[in-house]
Amino acid sequence: MKRIIVFIGIIYSSLGFAQIKVACIGNSITYGYGYDNPKSYPSQLDSLLGEAWEVRNFGVPGATLLRKGDAPYYKTAIYTDAKAFDPDVVIIKLGTNDSKAQNWKYKDDFVNDYDSLIYELEALPSKPFIILCTPVPAYSSGYGIRDSVIKVEMPLLQEIAKENKLKLINLYEPLSNHKGMFPDGIHPNEFGLGQIAATISESLIEWKEEILNRNK
């Protein structure tokens, strides 16, 4: 499979086409069943988008957006890898683990910490098209995750997206009333992850021209 992908990349390069590189930043819901597992949402997204796109999984289980959280994403080696990928598009899906009591006590830093992440990504040579995503619903209080706090985060994300003139994808709504897709109440199964991939895919296809023309 990897040989086929490399071969396709060579064809695109020889014809003067460049794949649109998409970096998926997030926590265990982004990580899914593993970076190369076809069930993870980035892998499913890659399949849905087709050969013109290259989607990579930079999810880190347990990661927080909050820099004072118990597992801040910005300190991880995977975040360094995501920046080194020099993506054309960055999809950020963080916030679920921030809802834990030990992390949400720093809620006053949420907007500033999100802005800091955005500024760092905007400074990359590729000047990526940055997309924010709301967390998905939490159907249990497992792992200390609280749906009530996730709902509080959503208007903050709307504010952040508006102030930074970024796109926002609501993943909460399409996965609402689908408790059966969350075996442990927190992590979507492959069908739930497929719904995430489908929702993001529709938006990326809609915004493709904006993505391609972002630096013009």
Side-chain angles (χ1 to χ4, degrees):
M1 182 64 181
K2 289 185 177 179
R3 290 182 180 178
I4 293 173
I5 293 171
V6 171
F7 179 67
I8 290 170
I10 292 171
I11 292 175
Y12 267 76
S13 178
S14 65
L15 294 176
F17 297 115
Q19 288 177 299
I20 300 171
K21 299 194 294 183
V22 181
C24 298
I25 284 176
N27 47 42
S28 58
I29 295 172
T30 296
Y31 180 80
Y33 295 85
Y35 296 113
D36 297 321
N37 193 302
K39 295 180 181 179
S40 70
Y41 105 68
S43 292
Q44 294 193 56
L45 178 62
D46 189 58
S47 296
L48 288 170
L49 290 172
E51 298 169 357
W53 304 73
E54 179 187 1
V55 182
R56 290 196 190 176
N57 187 337
F58 294 100
V60 178
T64 65
L65 178 281
L66 286 163
R67 297 192 168 210
K68 292 178 182 176
D70 55 10
Y73 185 85
Y74 87 102
K75 287 186 176 181
T76 66
I78 295 298
Y79 178 43
T80 301
D81 293 342
K83 290 186 288 185
F85 181 49
D86 211 19
D88 301 299
V89 179
V90 176
I91 298 167
I92 306 173
K93 191 196 165 301
L94 289 165
T96 299
N97 293 304
D98 298 88
S99 72
K100 299 175 183 178
Q102 70 267 27
N103 296 322
W104 198 239
K105 65 183 179 181
Y106 302 113
K107 62 184 179 181
D108 291 342
D109 295 337
F110 189 82
V111 173
N112 285 337
D113 286 355
Y114 221 123
D115 285 341
S116 295
L117 179 64
I118 290 166
Y119 298 155
E120 288 180 9
L121 293 168
E122 286 180 332
L124 293 175
S126 60
K127 304 297 180 185
F129 188 92
I130 299 172
I131 300 168
L132 313 186
C133 294
T134 68
V136 298
Y139 290 98
S140 82
S141 57
Y143 308 96
I145 290 165
R146 299 175 294 173
D147 192 66
S148 59
V149 174
I150 288 173
K151 290 178 180 177
V152 172
E153 291 177 10
M154 291 171 69
L156 295 177
L157 285 166
Q158 292 172 353
E159 174 190 337
I160 293 165
K162 182 179 180 180
E163 290 297 318
N164 289 281
K165 298 179 180 180
L166 301 176
K167 303 291 189 182
L168 174 68
I169 298 176
N170 186 337
L171 294 177
Y172 192 96
E173 183 176 347
L175 284 158
S176 293
N177 302 314
H178 289 292
K179 185 177 180 180
M181 291 184 177
F182 292 74
D184 65 355
I186 300 297
H187 299 92
N189 61 18
E190 63 180 291
F191 302 106
L193 294 170
Q195 181 62 59
I196 292 173
T199 302
I200 294 175
S201 175
E202 289 176 6
S203 295
L204 288 178
I205 291 169
E206 178 184 347
W207 300 329
K208 184 176 179 180
E209 289 304 314
E210 289 183 62
I211 293 167
L212 293 173
N213 295 322
R214 69 192 183 283
N215 295 326
K216 293 183 179 179

